Amino acid sequence: MTERLTISDVATYPRPGMDAPGMVGFTPDSSAMTWLHAADGGLVRSLWRIDVLSGERSVISGPGADSPMSREEELLRERTRTRELGVSSYSWARESDLPVLMIPGPTVRVSIDGEPLRELAGSEGALTPALSPDGTQLSFVRGGELFVVDVDGQSEATQLTSGAEDGLTHGLADYIAQEEFGQLRGHWWSKDGQIAYLRVDERHVAPYPIVHQGSTDVDVETHRYPFSGEENAHVSLGIADLPSGEHRELPLPEEDGYLVRVAWWADSSDGQRLVAQWINRDQNRLRLLAFSESGEAAVLIDETQEPWVNVADAARGLADGTFLWSSESSGYRHLSLRAEDGSEIRTLTSGEWVVDGVIGVDEDSRWVYFSSTRGSPLERRVERVSLDGGEIETLSEPGGVHGASLSRDGKWLAMMNSSLGAAPNISLVATDGSEQRSLYKSEASIGQLGLDAPELRTFSAADGTTLYGALYRPDSEGPHPVLVAVYGGPHAQTVLDAWGLTVDLRAQYLAQQGYLVLKLDNRGMAGRGLEFEAHLHRQMGTIEVDDQAAAVEQLAIEGLADVDRVGVYGWSYGGYMTVMSMLRRPDLFKVGVSGAPVSDWDGYDTGYTERYMGTPQNNAEGYREGSLLTHADKLEGQLLLIHGGVDENVHFRHTARLITALTAADRDYDLLMFPEERHMPRDQAGLEYQERRVARYFERHLK
């Protein structure tokens, strides 16, 4: 056993064993693997190359000093919740005869055919850079305009668009697309020298000011943030034809909605067609549009889903013009093969389980590789199924969470897995089953860390639904003071047979201090199909609290929980859940630590909020009941609010409004503010201070 955890341990990233390589992939010729990894176990990563046949390893780039980031780049990293520094991403040209590598940065760096990386002149300040498929050109955005530059560095960058101003950009995705639909870029190359790009006009969206109160200099940043029920950015889709220099705008549905995916797919005539996914403003109808060379739009898929429809992330075009489609029409996400016109050729997967994501398609051998919950919602399998139909093959070992990357030639899988008892490891696996080699195995172990894996177990919701939870037990005999570590919101799953659950060091630290720590995935969370997630439709802050309370009460019946000493903590939706639990069940939840809570859904963004709650105009009662402000006078326990002053996602305004309501109701609260932190705190000293304050708060008021 090692010494007990310290506050410094709790505040340090990456967590033990969570420094495994990331962005694991293969070179375009499938001869080598590439990944990002910090050899010293820290956050500053390098780009590595691992030869598939010999296993020889070399560093392509890094770690080096981390360069200063522009504010635009900083905000893009917030969208992806990226903590890592050094080399944070990379990409290869998909169709180049010679390998062409690109690494973004303050100035883009490129390498052709293994030559040393060099800075590409003219790419300074590039946002969302992208290589052309043949590797000869690079597109990027600067100053709100789309540019192209030759990768050989022999010419200056060419500006393709004009007219950008405050609130009007070309080639960038809008905030809602980035934050709520995972569409991080706004321009896409075809194979024949065309670039599809977005024009985003949000000049009509009122600027929201964020003041940097903790800095020496006066600094105000403004964001075009569309609040729920208000007008969204106006997004249009155009094509720039580089050979001719012509631009044309493509027709999108006239109704209000979201352009959530754009891609170039092959067609049956060996050409390419541009496709896009469009979701209406109510988010219950998704259309897959295909644009002809003349610019006309055909609807390939028109899918209506209640209560909402999620993006078809697994969709991808195949070389013969057919395409892979994913849908939740059965209540669970599954795959089908579609003809070029969108008609279904065959269903590939079905059942009361979820296709969690598509890993890749080997078109020559007709295999689709994917991850699934077919074994259990607590696990992820790596599986494959033929495009011609048939039985599903499981390629991963039983238990744990498995993922993979597929080589372009379809011969190799980089298999990644972890479990509660085993830190992440990576193996190179031949898809024909002939070979398997270990490439990375973490040195972290439960024994070395002196930790106990949390106990996975089940609970029952009021309607009999089975809920999955994790318990971190103290060494002492029960009943114990209880701390509920809550998230509670949709599109997230916190309870899995994964190493990340074991190295939740705050939960482990608090268990060592004598608390029974509970994590529970309530109705409304992800991983179990649309019906399970849809329980919170139009009633956020209700069913989730009921489930968390029911689990605590079941622990009390078992003699494990002391119902007179129950606390709760969480961040973001978990911060909202912390306060709402204390307001709706003040008899049970006595102490709370709430980080970055949404206090009223009318102050959060359109894309997320309206998917689950509708608008304030058509669900006034749901918004009223789901608001912390409505119930502020019910606070009886001890509440610590934590918020970053420059949080551009859940604005500090949420906590400020809650403070105003608590003051009006004459209710006590405590406040911990970090003036220069955003939604994801990063400062090491600040993180340690925060963890000390959290531990002291529960020690003082609960234990």
Side-chain angles (χ1 to χ4, degrees):
M1 294 283 285
T2 60
E3 295 182 2
R4 291 164 70 86
L5 291 169
T6 66
I7 288 294
S8 180
D9 294 329
V10 176
T12 298
Y13 291 89
R15 301 303 196 197
M18 298 300 286
D19 57 337
M23 285 197 72
V24 179
F26 290 84
T27 55
D29 64 2
S30 303
S31 67
M33 287 176 55
T34 48
W35 65 36
L36 300 179
H37 186 226
D40 63 357
L43 290 172
V44 184
R45 300 194 294 187
S46 302
L47 175 59
W48 291 71
R49 181 187 189 278
I50 304 94
D51 189 88
V52 166
L53 296 180
S54 70
E56 181 181 352
R57 304 183 183 209
S58 57
V59 175
I60 297 175
S61 177
D66 203 60
S67 304
M69 283 181 284
S70 66
R71 176 150 292 160
E72 292 82 2
E73 192 174 2
E74 175 190 333
L75 292 170
L76 283 171
R77 290 168 67 90
E78 285 292 317
R79 303 286 73 76
T80 56
R81 310 295 190 261
T82 300
R83 286 189 185 275
E84 290 78 14
L85 302 170
V87 183
S88 58
S89 66
Y90 67 96
S91 64
W92 297 92
R94 300 189 308 273
E95 308 289 341
S96 174
D97 294 332
L98 298 174
V100 180
L101 171 68
M102 183 270 292
I103 297 178
T107 300
V108 174
R109 291 178 293 157
V110 295
S111 168
I112 302 175
D113 197 21
E115 68 179 11
L117 284 158
R118 57 177 170 79
E119 291 191 344
L120 181 58
S123 69
E124 298 81 5
L127 293 176
T128 64
L131 287 167
S132 62
D134 65 6
T136 62
Q137 294 177 293
L138 182 86
S139 60
F140 61 90
V141 176
R142 182 170 57 209
E145 303 289 12
L146 184 62
F147 287 79
V148 168
V149 65
D150 291 338
V151 169
D152 62 14
Q154 300 303 307
S155 59
E156 295 184 358
T158 300
Q159 183 173 325
L160 301 181
T161 59
S162 61
E165 59 179 270
D166 181 22
L168 176 63
T169 60
H170 301 98
L172 291 176
D174 64 288
Y175 173 84
I176 298 298
Q178 293 180 31
E179 176 67 26
E180 307 304 356
F181 293 103
Q183 180 175 281
L184 299 176
R185 65 171 49 256
H187 55 98
W188 302 266
W189 282 93
S190 74
K191 292 181 181 179
D192 58 358
Q194 299 183 86
I195 301 178
Y197 66 93
L198 302 180
R199 179 182 186 271
V200 174
D201 185 355
E202 47 191 3
R203 290 172 292 185
H204 55 283
V205 179
Y208 183 85
I210 294 179
V211 182
H212 288 255
Q213 301 281 15
S215 59
T216 302
D217 299 323
V218 175
D219 186 6
V220 181
E221 57 186 77
T222 58
H223 298 261
R224 307 280 180 166
Y225 189 99
F227 293 106
S228 179
E230 297 184 2
E231 196 170 1
N232 273 314
H234 298 158
V235 178
S236 56
L237 178 63
I239 291 180
D241 184 78
L242 269 60
S244 67
E246 295 181 355
H247 291 247
R248 66 181 188 276
E249 185 176 338
L250 300 176
L252 295 174
E254 293 183 1
E255 66 178 347
D256 197 1
Y258 303 96
L259 187 63
V260 296
R261 291 292 181 273
V262 178
W264 291 93
W265 286 358
D267 62 28
S268 56
S269 62
D270 294 328
Q272 281 192 294
R273 57 179 177 168
L274 186 68
V275 299
Q277 289 185 44
W278 175 270
I279 293 179
N280 65 334
R281 177 74 180 255
D282 290 340
Q283 297 192 53
N284 57 6
R285 184 184 182 191
L286 183 151
R287 275 164 283 182
L288 177 65
L289 308 173
F291 300 95
S292 66
E293 288 188 7
S294 61
E296 297 176 345
V299 179
L300 303 183
I301 302 284
D302 192 339
E303 193 170 285
T304 300
Q305 182 82 52
E306 295 295 345
W308 61 75
V309 62
N310 290 308
V311 179
D313 259 333
R316 60 193 62 200
L318 306 179
D320 61 1
T322 63
F323 62 93
L324 192 66
W325 184 248
S326 76
S327 170
E328 290 182 294
S329 59
S330 68
Y332 299 87
R333 185 162 297 282
H334 283 293
L335 303 176
S336 62
L337 181 65
R338 300 291 181 129
E340 194 168 14
D341 64 0
S343 60
E344 183 172 307
I345 298 173
R346 67 181 56 89
T347 297
L348 300 177
T349 66
S350 62
E352 294 185 358
W353 50 274
V354 175
V355 171
D356 194 53
V358 169
I359 294 163
V361 181
D362 177 3
E363 296 187 50
D364 292 336
S365 299
R366 306 286 290 171
W367 288 114
V368 180
Y369 293 82
F370 61 93
S371 60
S372 84
T373 66
R374 199 160 66 103
S376 162
L378 302 179
E379 302 172 1
R380 294 293 184 273
R381 292 178 173 180
V382 172
E383 305 195 291
R384 69 180 182 181
V385 67
S386 173
L387 286 168
D388 300 316
E391 295 297 315
I392 295 171
E393 293 185 23
T394 302
L395 305 177
S396 52
E397 298 295 323
V401 171
H402 300 259
S405 292
L406 178 69
S407 64
R408 187 169 178 180
D409 63 9
K411 294 180 178 179
W412 299 98
L413 282 169
M415 296 271 281
M416 299 150 278
N417 71 279
S418 80
S419 66
L420 290 172
N425 62 78
I426 302 173
S427 298
L428 182 65
V429 179
T431 54
D432 64 4
S434 63
E435 187 177 354
Q436 179 169 337
R437 277 182 277 149
S438 175
L439 294 179
Y440 174 85
K441 187 171 179 61
S442 173
E443 296 179 358
S445 68
I446 285 180
Q448 174 245 333
L449 295 170
L451 300 177
D452 293 321
E455 170 194 338
L456 297 180
R457 54 160 298 169
T458 60
F459 298 87
S460 293
D463 65 356
T465 301
T466 296
L467 306 174
Y468 294 102
L471 289 179
Y472 301 78
R473 293 177 180 254
D475 292 334
S476 57
E477 294 294 322
H480 309 284
V482 179
L483 291 176
V484 178
V486 67
Y487 181 75
H491 273 210
Q493 185 178 6
T494 62
V495 180
L496 289 161
D497 180 13
W499 180 253
L501 199 65
T502 295
V503 291
D504 178 342
L505 295 191
R506 179 191 279 182
Q508 292 280 10
Y509 175 86
L510 292 169
Q512 289 181 358
Q513 304 307 306
Y515 302 97
L516 177 69
V517 182
L518 166 67
K519 284 190 176 184
L520 181 84
D521 282 352
N522 50 251
R523 287 172 293 172
M525 295 184 70
R528 298 181 60 183
L530 184 60
E531 182 180 351
F532 185 84
E533 195 176 43
H535 277 287
L536 51 64
H537 183 228
R538 296 174 68 87
Q539 56 173 358
M540 280 178 164
T542 59
I543 204 84
E544 316 97 288
V545 175
D546 294 343
D547 287 355
Q548 298 290 334
V552 173
E553 288 164 347
Q554 288 169 53
L555 291 174
I557 292 172
E558 296 170 18
L560 291 174
D562 179 353
V563 291
D564 292 325
R565 293 187 294 165
V566 179
V568 55
Y569 65 87
W571 197 271
S572 196
Y573 201 102
Y576 165 74
M577 278 288 294
T578 294
V579 183
M580 189 60 88
S581 297
M582 296 183 70
L583 300 180
R584 288 194 178 275
R585 289 297 306 273
D587 60 311
L588 185 63
F589 297 102
K590 307 295 176 58
V591 183
V593 175
S594 168
V598 173
S599 62
D600 193 308
W601 291 107
D602 70 1
Y604 202 58
D605 71 52
T606 54
Y608 181 94
T609 311
E610 294 175 14
R611 182 185 310 146
Y612 308 116
M613 290 288 284
T615 65
Q617 294 87 348
N618 66 29
N619 185 22
E621 179 64 14
Y623 273 77
R624 192 188 73 81
E625 280 299 306
S627 172
L628 303 181
L629 311 181
T630 301
H631 308 285
D633 62 346
K634 299 183 180 71
L635 181 66
E636 296 179 10
Q638 302 292 323
L639 174 62
L640 173 62
L641 299 169
I642 307 176
H643 216 130
V646 292
D647 189 336
E648 84 301 339
N649 182 350
V650 181
H651 303 137
F652 181 77
R653 169 177 176 246
H654 283 277
T655 287
R657 291 175 73 189
L658 179 56
I659 288 172
T660 300
L662 292 171
T663 302
D666 194 22
R667 303 297 177 182
D668 292 341
Y669 65 90
D670 294 288
L671 175 66
L672 174 58
M673 181 183 178
F674 293 96
E676 291 302 309
E677 291 285 15
R678 295 195 183 275
H679 193 56
M680 188 176 78
R682 298 169 185 269
D683 175 66
Q684 180 65 29
L687 286 168
E688 289 194 26
Y689 179 76
Q690 173 183 286
E691 294 302 333
R692 279 193 295 272
R693 289 287 302 272
V694 171
R696 289 173 186 165
Y697 204 77
F698 287 126
E699 178 76 21
R700 182 180 305 124
H701 296 296
L702 189 67
K703 194 173 177 184

